[in-house]
Structures are given as C-alpha cells and as structure tokens.
Amino acid sequence: MRRSIVVTKPSRISLDHGQLRIEQGNTISTVPIEDLDIVVLDHAWIDITSPVLGKLSSEGIVVVFSNEQHLPCGYLVPLQNHHLTAQILRGQIDSTLPAKKQIWKEIIVSKILSQLRLLREINYESSELLDLSRSVKSGDRGNNEGRAAAIYFPILFGNGFKRIQRDDPHIGMESDFLLINSMLNYGYSVLRATVARAVVASGLNPTLGIFHHHRNNALALVDDLMEPLRVLVDRRVLNIIRSSNSLTAEIGELTPQLKRERS
C-alpha cells in the first residue's frame, strides 16, 4: 500500500499541479496524488469538488466517507476497466455451487491459519485452531470459522472479549472491550475499501459473492475475500493496546490519532 490520509478537521480539498491540496484554516498541506492509496473524509465540513473526486478515482485512489459517529459509511471505489471484464463476469456467473463451497472452504482455512500465526507471534500455540483449520468441510458446514473466532479473540484481547458489530447489543460489555471492538470495526471498514478497489481492478464484479449474498450487499465478494486479511487489523489493534500502559486512560476513545494508526 501507498500512503493513506485521514481528514478530521474542517477542510477545503483541491488539486494543485498533481498534488492534493488540503487547506485547514491558515494551514495548507499538499500530498502527491501518486503517493496515495486511501483518503478518509471524517468531518461534516469538508469541501471537496467532483473534479477532485474524479481525479482520485482515475488514479485508483479509494475515498472513504464517515458518518456522525465517525465510522465509515460509504466508499468511492475506482471503476478501473479490465481488458477481460466480460469474460471474468461470465466466469463468475457460471460458477457452480460446489465450486463456490470449495472456494469458501479454502478462504476459511486461510483465515484460521492467519489467526494461528498471529497467536504464535505472541508466543501462544493453539492446537484447537490447528485442528479446526485441518477439519474445515466444503462450504464450512461445521462453522469452523465461528468456532475458531470463539477461541481466537479471547486469547488475543482477554477473557470475556467477544466480537460485536457497531449495531449489535453490548449490554454488560466492559468499556475496554467496546473500544477494542470500535477500533476493529473501523479498521475492517478501511480494509474493506482497499479490497474493494483490488476486486474492481481485477475485473471482478464485487456484488457476486461466494458465501456472502445478502440482496442489499453490493460488496459481497469483497466481504468474502477480505476474511483472511482481517488479521492485519487485529495485529494493528493488538500493538496499540500493548503499547499502552492503560487502555482506558491512554487511549480512552476512538480518536483521529488512533484512526491514523490503522490507515
């Protein structure tokens, strides 16, 4: 990846001779567009024009928009043409159910092995995760993915920790665990934008998923393919926690600084 930037203050964003120009009051910053990978717009008062967005898209840069809770709510993904787009699309449409189930099995095996490698980095060996990676069935019929998560996350972040989405109920969850979940959700959202760009650039249709298939999900294939990569966010969040003497006192909330840590 190239550079990623997070804009968290009232700003005016324009183009200046191949540079992205960011004006914040009396402060002006410039970034070469060719150095950018992702631009996160995380403030209600950001002035950016369609020519700027068009230039970012033409250069293959993903733009992420945040909502009032400062969580990503939308993406501008470049529609980069691929010379075999039609052929690839036919292949996606013609994929058989057994083939999709086998692909999903390989994705889950890769995800569990990635989790196992991260645990080994912190000197923890899990024979249970190893066994789960070796026993994944076609289509993950035994839900080894969920069983692995139930083992993996408490080891990584502490007993009692469980993953929650931002809309999930969290009654009784410790504040530290809520913060960790917020960091994970934010990191996964940025990762999703990056994978979405790669999927489109490869000529694949991001709507045609392998396992994820909800009718409202325009990025179903992205959600499939990013599963083994989630560990990149997990590692980053773990490093932030381990570098802080007190998670609550020194991190406290999902600040712009923390967002830059994962961007």
Side-chain angles (χ1 to χ4, degrees):
M1 290 180 60
R2 295 170 291 179
R3 292 180 61 183
S4 300
I5 61 174
V6 183
V7 183
T8 59
K9 298 179 181 179
S11 307
R12 183 177 185 274
I13 301 177
S14 58
L15 299 174
D16 184 8
H17 299 90
Q19 306 267 328
L20 193 67
R21 176 186 172 99
I22 305 173
E23 299 179 48
Q24 297 178 331
N26 295 325
T27 303
I28 299 176
S29 303
T30 58
V31 184
I33 289 179
E34 64 268 20
D35 289 350
L36 292 172
D37 221 17
I38 300 175
V39 175
V40 180
L41 304 180
D42 189 17
H43 198 281
W45 298 102
I46 295 177
D47 181 8
I48 185 169
T49 63
S50 57
V52 178
L53 294 174
K55 178 62 174 177
L56 293 175
S57 294
S58 67
E59 296 296 328
I61 298 165
V62 175
V63 181
V64 181
F65 302 92
S66 297
N67 59 18
E68 294 83 357
Q69 288 74 44
H70 305 286
L71 292 172
C73 62
Y75 312 107
L76 178 61
V77 180
L79 295 178
Q80 297 168 324
N81 293 325
H82 191 281
H83 66 288
L84 295 176
T85 297
Q87 179 180 334
I88 293 171
L89 179 60
R90 284 195 295 270
Q92 283 186 263
I93 294 173
D94 294 340
S95 295
T96 64
L97 183 58
K100 290 181 178 180
K101 287 184 176 181
Q102 190 62 30
I103 293 171
W104 184 243
K105 170 188 173 181
E106 296 303 322
I107 288 174
I108 297 308
V109 170
S110 179
K111 179 179 183 178
I112 296 174
L113 289 176
S114 296
Q115 293 173 337
L116 182 60
R117 283 192 291 270
L118 179 53
L119 293 184
R120 285 172 175 169
E121 289 179 17
I122 60 174
N123 298 316
Y124 191 99
E125 186 65 46
S126 174
S127 59
E128 294 176 282
L129 282 186
L130 185 60
D131 291 342
L132 286 171
S133 71
R134 292 171 173 172
S135 61
V136 179
K137 296 181 174 61
S138 176
D140 191 23
R141 294 193 306 273
N143 191 27
N144 285 28
E145 179 189 18
R147 294 162 62 192
I151 297 169
Y152 165 76
F153 281 111
I155 294 172
L156 203 61
F157 297 122
N159 291 330
F161 179 85
K162 66 177 181 178
R163 276 289 296 130
I164 57 172
Q165 305 298 323
R166 59 187 176 188
D167 297 327
D168 289 346
H170 48 261
I171 297 175
M173 170 109 14
E174 295 181 16
S175 59
D176 288 358
F177 289 166
L178 289 176
L179 176 57
I180 293 171
N181 271 293
S182 294
M183 290 192 286
L184 291 173
N185 289 337
Y186 181 85
Y188 293 153
S189 295
V190 175
L191 175 65
R192 191 180 192 228
T194 305
V195 175
R197 185 192 59 185
V199 167
V200 172
S202 299
L204 293 163
N205 187 308
T207 306
L208 301 177
I210 299 165
F211 175 78
H212 295 88
H213 57 270
H214 195 279
R215 65 182 181 180
N216 294 331
N217 188 356
L219 298 176
L221 182 60
V222 175
D223 292 336
D224 291 328
L225 298 180
M226 68 177 280
E227 290 295 348
L229 303 176
R230 288 177 180 268
V231 70
L232 299 175
V233 176
D234 302 343
R235 179 186 290 110
R236 193 62 175 163
V237 171
L238 179 64
N239 288 340
I240 292 172
I241 295 169
R242 297 179 80 179
S243 66
S244 172
N245 294 327
S246 170
L247 181 61
T248 302
E250 296 197 13
I251 297 181
E253 60 182 4
L254 190 55
T255 62
Q257 176 61 33
L258 286 178
K259 292 177 180 180
R260 285 191 288 271
E261 288 284 349
R262 274 174 317 291
S263 298

